[in-house]
């Protein structure tokens, strides 16, 4: 029984993590101007630097999701 509960907990955690990622992507897609700020994004080959504007120190430092996805990657697909 405990193995079943552990599997269920692991699947719920993965589901919750996927939902959070989708929410973060939606927020970034709703703010396309943030794509221009410099940020590191993860793809299949590693990390790539995207953007061309230096963000101000007061700005929150996240133009990517917690998994490293950015809207520019969606344009490539």
């Amino acid at each position: 029984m405990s193995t079943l509960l552990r599997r269920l907990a692991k699947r719920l955690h993965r589901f919750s993590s996927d939902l959070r990622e989708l929410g973060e992507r939606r927020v970034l897609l709703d703010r396309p101007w943030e794509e221009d700020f410099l940020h590191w994004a993860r793809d299949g080959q590693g990390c790539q630097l995207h953007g061309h504007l230096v963000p101000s120190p007061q700005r929150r430092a996240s133009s990517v999701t917690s998994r490293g996805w950015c809207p520019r990657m969606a344009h490539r697909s």
Side-chain angles (χ1 to χ4, degrees):
M1 186 65 149
S2 65
T3 304
L4 178 63
L5 289 176
R6 272 186 258 144
R7 279 192 224 154
L8 179 61
K10 189 174 184 178
R11 287 182 183 171
L12 286 173
H13 182 268
R14 188 179 313 137
F15 179 73
S16 173
S17 177
D18 290 345
L19 282 178
R20 183 176 54 249
E21 174 74 14
L22 289 173
E24 291 173 2
R25 288 182 183 199
R26 178 77 266 157
V27 167
L28 289 175
L29 288 170
D30 287 342
R31 293 183 277 163
W33 60 89
E34 289 195 1
E35 193 174 329
D36 294 334
F37 291 116
L38 286 171
H39 61 276
W40 289 100
R42 284 187 217 132
D43 62 7
Q45 289 80 37
C47 290
Q48 293 184 357
L49 185 61
H50 294 174
H52 61 275
L53 299 174
V54 177
S56 71
Q58 293 83 21
R59 188 187 162 281
R60 68 176 185 78
S62 183
S63 296
V64 296
T65 65
S66 55
R67 293 183 186 171
W69 180 91
C70 82
R72 186 167 295 168
M73 297 173 120
H75 298 293
R76 290 186 192 167
S77 311

